[in-house]
Structures are given as structure tokens and as C-alpha cells.
Amino acid sequence: MRLALVLSLPLPLALTLSAQSTPKPQTTPQPKVTAPAKESPEAQAARQTLQIVLNSINDNWFGKAYQDINAVDIQGSLSIQVSAAALNAKVDQLSQGALKGGIAQNGKATLQVKSTYFANADFKTEMTGSFGNLLYTRVGNRGFLYSQTQNAYTTRVEPGPSDAPLSYLGWFRSMLNDIKAVYVDGPVFKASFGKEESVGGKSLQTLVFSAPTSVYDPKKREQSLADSMGFWKRGRLAVQVDKTTRLPQRMNFTNDGQGIRTQMDFTYDDKGHPLSINISNQSRGMEGPGFLKVGYGANGLMSSVSGELNGQDKKVGFDLNLAWAKGKKTSSIQSVPPPTASKRSSEDLEIALLTGLAQNILELQRVGLNLRSVSLAAK
């Protein structure tokens, strides 16, 4: 997970066991956990329990079914909708009542995605839609980012990790290891046990991890990309776990500084696969319900992931199809920029793309989405 794996695919592959489900119990041996120094026995036990839960997630959600899989083809769409009422309200707010929007139609931004991603981090991704047309690819240490809108490309791309896994069995495990490094092994979060209770015949234990955050600043409209992507590394995480299966049943996460507050309830099939997650979201600007659903093929591999988040006047949705492959060759994704495209430095193209991105984000802000822009300052 990266709580982004835990909070999205796969983080929000979060859910409650259905009444008929009987997931197999955890069989992974009890792990050794190196807790921060001078911690209480309860805190060390809570960290150790979370490690067991991560192992159970690995075995039930992913596991051996992905051991020979080295690539996945992803195709689908992302959409953002804002109601006409929200647009008109925003016009009225920005003009302090001097103008009336008179907007009759909802605002909508869409994005089509087609991608092949290898477990070793080689990839090719094509994106088209409201935010422009991009082709981004890398094989080994060579690749390029091409913008059709700019008719320009750069061949300076970030190299892949030197220790990249060869299969998705290792890839998913590495995602879980990211969570382990922060919540189990790291010193930032204080760990403890919450209450135990019995619900629907299940004995549930709550694990609590807390790290202080800043106070939410509603006037702050810009922050670093690291802060945006690392929201899960601070805050309060409470995970309700089935003591028999060691699978999460409910997760509550808050990060006051980022304005994030959400609850996720997990449901599973009889094999311990996550089927859906019901989301109760109270995050700033997206207060409302949501869901995530996962489909599986006859081989037990994930075949589709779809989801939606709803606010009072907003809706964000996505629908992705997944096709897994064994022994796929990276030659299948090799490509070159169009001969008419101009080559630019990575800095020039990045500034052009980020400026365009910022303009679109500002437009979404204008029509009512409470987003914070990614800073264009140097990294």
C-alpha cells in the first residue's frame, strides 16, 4: 500500500468482510519488528500486529497469483465533474456578488489513459483529454516525455530503481514495505491499541498510529509535491482488524494539516480478496460518500478497478481495466518521438507542462474544487 496503496489502489482496496465470507486465516510466521527505542511493550506489540496485518494483506490480496506476472496493461478513464450551481456560486463569490454566472451546464474534465507498466519499472503511458496529450516512456535508463500540445520532447527521464522487482509478487510486497518503513519501523508515529469489540460474530482489534500535523490553513493554495504525495506519513491512522483473518475491516485516517479525514469500510470474497470499499469522506472540499470496486478474472487476478468520490457539487470518478502478462518483452513498448517534434531541455518542457497543469488546477479551483496547486519552485 503506500497509504496511497492503502488509500487508493491498493490503499483504498479497503473493506468489511461480507456475512458469508470465510477468508483463510493468516499463516505467515510471526515477524520480528524493530521498534523505536524506549517504547512501551504495548506500542511494540501494536507495531508487530500491524506487520502481521501487512503480511496477511500481501497473502490474500496479492500473493502467489502474481509471482510470474511481469507486466500489466491499464486502460480507462478519469473524470471530474462540477455542477452548474457550484460554478455559479463560485462566480458570485469571486466577484463579491457583482456578477451572476448564468451557467446552465455542469463543468467536466476528462482524461483517457492507456499504459503498460512492467514490474521492473519500465513503462509506456499515453494520456489524452482535457489536460492535453502526453506520451511518457522509459526502458532501462532511456526514454522520453513527449507533449503533443507543445510538439516537443525531452530525453532526460528519471532512471528506474536499481533494485526493481522482476514480478508483481515483489512489486506489491515493495509497496507494503513502504508502509512498514513508516508505521512499523519508523520513529515518527506513536503506536497503541484501541478498543476491542465483537461485530457480526467477528472479534475486532483496533490499532492506532499517531503523528502530529500542522493546523489546516484554508488560505494556503500551494504546497510541494512531496507534501501532497506524502500526506499519509503524518496524521492519525486507526485500523480495525479481524483477529482471525488479520485483514483490515475499517480504516480511519486524518491529517489535519492537509484537511484530510476519511473512513473506509472493506468487504471481501471467500478467498480474502477485497471486493469493494465504502468511503465516508469528510476531507476539505470533497465532503461526501465514495466507493471503490475491484473485479477479478477466472485466474484470480484483478481485472478491473473503478471508483468514485462525491461532494455536494462535485464528483471524481475513474474506471480502469487491467490485463496482466507473463514474459512480456520491453520491446513491445519501445517508441520514438515524432520526427517533427522539437527537443527541449527537461527544465524547459517541465516548466511548460507544469504551467499548463497549474493553469488547469487554478481553473478547477475557480469552478469550486478545493485543490492546492503544486509549487513550481525548484525541487
Side-chain angles (χ1 to χ4, degrees):
M1 296 184 293
R2 267 167 199 170
L3 212 76
L5 156 78
V6 166
L7 287 172
S8 189
L9 162 58
L11 210 167
L13 289 181
L15 334 158
T16 304
L17 278 174
S18 61
Q20 294 77 24
S21 63
T22 55
K24 57 187 177 183
Q26 171 62 29
T27 58
T28 302
Q30 182 167 300
K32 293 182 179 180
V33 174
T34 304
K38 299 180 180 179
E39 238 186 5
S40 69
E42 177 188 344
Q44 294 183 41
R47 293 180 190 274
Q48 187 175 44
T49 301
L50 180 60
Q51 174 67 85
I52 294 173
V53 171
L54 293 177
N55 286 340
S56 185
I57 289 172
N58 183 71
D59 293 345
N60 288 278
W61 295 17
F62 314 118
K64 292 183 179 180
Y66 295 89
Q67 66 181 354
D68 296 323
I69 302 295
N70 76 322
V72 59
D73 293 324
I74 304 170
Q75 191 164 350
S77 61
L78 167 72
S79 65
I80 300 173
Q81 298 183 46
V82 183
S83 72
L87 299 181
N88 287 322
K90 197 64 176 180
V91 171
D92 182 73
Q93 175 190 345
L94 292 174
S95 66
Q96 297 182 343
L99 298 175
K100 299 299 179 183
I103 299 172
Q105 295 184 343
N106 296 343
K108 183 175 182 180
T110 59
L111 180 68
Q112 297 294 318
V113 178
K114 182 178 180 182
S115 180
T116 297
Y117 198 93
F118 286 80
N120 70 354
D122 291 338
F123 66 90
K124 178 181 179 181
T125 297
E126 299 173 74
M127 295 174 286
T128 62
S130 302
F131 293 162
N133 300 286
L134 297 174
L135 170 60
Y136 189 27
T137 184
R138 183 189 66 226
V139 176
N141 291 326
R142 302 186 66 180
F144 64 90
L145 172 63
Y146 166 70
S147 167
Q148 185 180 49
T149 304
Q150 303 288 330
N151 195 27
Y153 69 96
T154 177
T155 57
R156 183 179 172 185
V157 297
E158 294 293 329
S162 59
D163 58 347
L166 299 180
S167 75
Y168 270 92
L169 175 67
W171 192 89
F172 286 123
R173 183 72 254 187
S174 71
M175 299 297 100
L176 294 169
N177 285 342
D178 286 349
I179 295 177
K180 175 180 180 292
V182 173
Y183 287 90
V184 177
D185 299 331
V188 174
F189 282 87
K190 292 183 178 180
S192 63
F193 286 110
K195 65 179 180 179
E196 291 191 32
E197 59 183 318
S198 180
V199 178
K202 303 182 185 74
S203 180
L204 306 179
Q205 172 71 70
T206 300
L207 308 176
V208 180
F209 297 83
S210 299
T213 69
S214 59
V215 177
Y216 183 75
D217 180 2
K219 296 181 180 180
K220 184 178 180 181
R221 305 299 290 174
E222 186 178 276
Q223 65 185 12
S224 71
L225 183 60
D227 286 343
S228 294
M229 300 302 293
F231 70 92
W232 57 279
K233 296 180 180 180
R234 289 276 183 178
R236 185 181 189 275
L237 172 68
V239 184
Q240 196 175 61
V241 177
D242 186 315
K243 294 179 70 174
T244 300
T245 65
R246 300 295 191 173
L247 288 171
Q249 305 299 296
R250 171 172 287 181
M251 183 178 74
N252 282 280
F253 179 80
T254 60
N255 181 323
D256 291 336
Q258 296 272 22
I260 296 172
R261 182 179 298 272
T262 189
Q263 175 177 297
M264 300 181 178
D265 290 301
F266 299 72
T267 54
Y268 300 89
D269 65 12
D270 59 2
K271 297 179 181 179
H273 294 147
L275 290 178
S276 65
I277 172 174
N278 290 322
I279 303 170
S280 176
N281 197 23
Q282 297 301 319
S283 299
R284 303 270 186 158
M286 277 305 295
E287 296 88 347
F291 69 85
L292 184 143
K293 294 182 179 180
V294 186
Y296 296 86
N299 55 8
L301 302 175
M302 289 179 284
S303 60
S304 63
V305 181
S306 61
E308 190 172 279
L309 280 176
N310 291 276
Q312 183 177 359
D313 297 302
K314 317 169 189 71
K315 181 167 70 175
V316 178
F318 64 93
D319 191 352
L320 303 174
N321 293 314
L322 312 176
W324 305 89
K326 298 180 180 180
K328 195 178 182 85
K329 304 296 183 182
T330 55
S331 58
S332 65
I333 63 170
Q334 289 180 335
S335 57
V336 296
T340 58
S342 60
K343 185 176 181 179
R344 295 190 193 177
S345 70
S346 61
E347 291 80 7
D348 287 347
L349 186 56
E350 181 180 1
I351 290 172
L353 293 175
L354 285 177
T355 300
L357 174 63
Q359 289 172 345
N360 279 284
I361 289 178
L362 289 172
E363 177 64 13
L364 289 174
Q365 289 174 345
R366 185 188 69 79
V367 300
L369 278 179
N370 185 21
L371 302 176
R372 288 177 173 175
S373 304
V374 174
S375 173
L376 295 181
K379 300 176 182 177

